[in-house]
Each structure stands twice: as structure tokens, then as C-alpha cells.
Amino acid sequence: GRGANSVISRLGGFPGETIPVVMVGSVVQEGRNPHLLAALRDRIAQQNEHFEFIIPKMAPVFGSVLLAMDQLGVPVTDSIIKRFEEYGSYQ
């Protein structure tokens, strides 16, 4: 929570905007412990009024592959996204 607040502050605070806080890592992704998420939410709320947790549907490596595909001009279809979610899902 302190780390998130520090990054948000250093990036300018985003006044008037809802700040997306992307949750990654095995503790958050696989455990999704409600107590951990509540503690993070409380800590971030001490300095930021409007934010939301974003939990990606697939592991970060698949996002890297999608970026590489985009750079190469390889079309990304819904079936590719679905397959990536099946292979690298956090669900």
C-alpha cells in the first residue's frame, strides 16, 4: 500500500481521476486473500480517494507476447486472447 501510494504520488497523483492499481504476483493473484486486499485498500485510501484494483485475466508474460505480436503486425484475434486466458489464467 505504501509502495502504491509512493508511485501514485511520484506520477502526479491523478487529481479527479480513478487510479487503476494493477494487482500482480502470486500472493494476490492465486491467493486473493480478502484480508490482504482490504489492508491494501485501506492503506491506499489514506492518500488516494478514487482508485480501483485491476486483476489481470492472464499472467504478465502473455501481455508481453501480445505486445510483440502487435510490433510484428500479427493480428490478435478473440480466439488467441481466449487461448492465452486458458493457458495463463489466474482464475
Side-chain angles (χ1 to χ4, degrees):
R2 282 188 248 172
N5 284 335
S6 176
V7 169
I8 292 166
S9 175
R10 289 172 190 233
L11 291 174
F14 306 94
E17 295 182 43
T18 298
I19 304 162
V21 178
V22 180
M23 308 300 286
V24 296
S26 62
V27 172
V28 176
Q29 290 294 337
E30 295 171 14
R32 294 206 181 137
N33 184 304
H35 302 292
L36 173 63
L37 294 175
L40 285 168
R41 186 174 287 109
D42 291 345
R43 177 65 76 162
I44 295 170
Q46 290 175 0
Q47 295 180 16
N48 299 282
E49 186 176 349
H50 302 289
F51 65 93
E52 65 177 325
F53 289 149
I54 306 293
I55 298 177
K57 293 181 181 180
M58 63 184 86
V61 67
F62 290 95
S64 298
V65 173
L66 291 170
L67 286 172
M69 291 173 71
D70 185 54
Q71 286 292 314
L72 294 170
V74 176
V76 177
T77 63
D78 288 340
S79 65
I80 290 173
I81 296 292
K82 184 177 179 182
R83 174 94 24 114
F84 281 12
E85 287 175 356
E86 289 170 1
Y87 290 160
S89 176
Y90 286 120
Q91 306 302 328

